[in-house]
Amino acid sequence: MGRFIYFVEAHLVWFVIVVAGGGLLFPATGIMLKFAIGPLLALLMLIISLTFDAHAVRIVFRKPSRQLLALGLVYGPMSIAGWLTGRLFFGSGPLAAGQTLLGTLPTDVSSPLLVLMAKGNVALAAVFNAVNTALCPFIVPFQF
């Protein structure tokens, strides 16, 4: 099993490209697999979480200033950029509001995957993602 995980990790970028290309070429396959999206995302998060240990998470919690910086960046410049691009491209209305929310909402489940592919600190990305997602319902409604 360890060899398989190492193989997948070593070739992750190519797997992502092949799967994305296959989805574009054969969209009906994705529609047929719609029921499996939730379990596959859960499996993705499980596999990514196996790449770091509890020691890495402890290191993240020892420096809360990084989390505060991440919160400031997500709910500061990202929110303003979402609001500005929404107004610039869509004026006002539902599309502008959607663009504002897109810029305001925190990262999604794929961000630790992208960090893993970039050989970054996956534990740090996972903690940022979890904290931002947990605080999102309390911050976003009062932003704009």
Side-chain angles (χ1 to χ4, degrees):
M1 184 68 171
R3 295 174 91 189
F4 176 72
I5 291 173
Y6 177 75
F7 177 80
V8 170
E9 185 179 338
H11 299 91
L12 196 53
V13 172
W14 293 110
F15 284 129
V16 169
I17 291 171
V18 168
V19 169
L24 290 172
L25 293 173
F26 307 106
T29 306
I31 294 169
M32 289 183 341
L33 294 173
K34 186 166 75 171
F35 70 93
I37 290 174
L40 286 173
L41 285 174
L43 180 64
L44 172 70
M45 292 310 295
L46 174 68
I47 290 171
I48 290 172
S49 67
L50 293 175
T51 64
F52 60 90
D53 58 1
H55 179 68
V57 175
R58 271 194 303 275
I59 291 171
V60 170
F61 283 121
R62 284 189 192 142
K63 296 190 179 191
S65 61
R66 291 180 180 176
Q67 180 62 54
L68 293 174
L69 176 64
L71 284 170
L73 291 173
V74 167
Y75 295 112
M78 287 295 296
S79 298
I80 293 168
W83 183 79
L84 287 174
T85 56
R87 297 304 174 265
L88 178 68
F89 292 112
F90 305 114
S92 63
L95 289 176
Q99 181 64 36
T100 301
L101 280 175
L102 184 65
T104 303
L105 294 175
T107 60
D108 61 4
V109 295
S110 65
S111 63
L113 172 65
L114 296 174
V115 172
L116 178 67
M117 289 170 49
K119 307 268 190 255
N121 188 339
V122 179
L124 184 65
V127 170
F128 282 175
N129 195 11
V131 171
N132 286 340
T133 302
L135 292 176
C136 181
F138 304 106
I139 296 175
V140 171
F142 303 105
Q143 257 189 322
F144 291 100

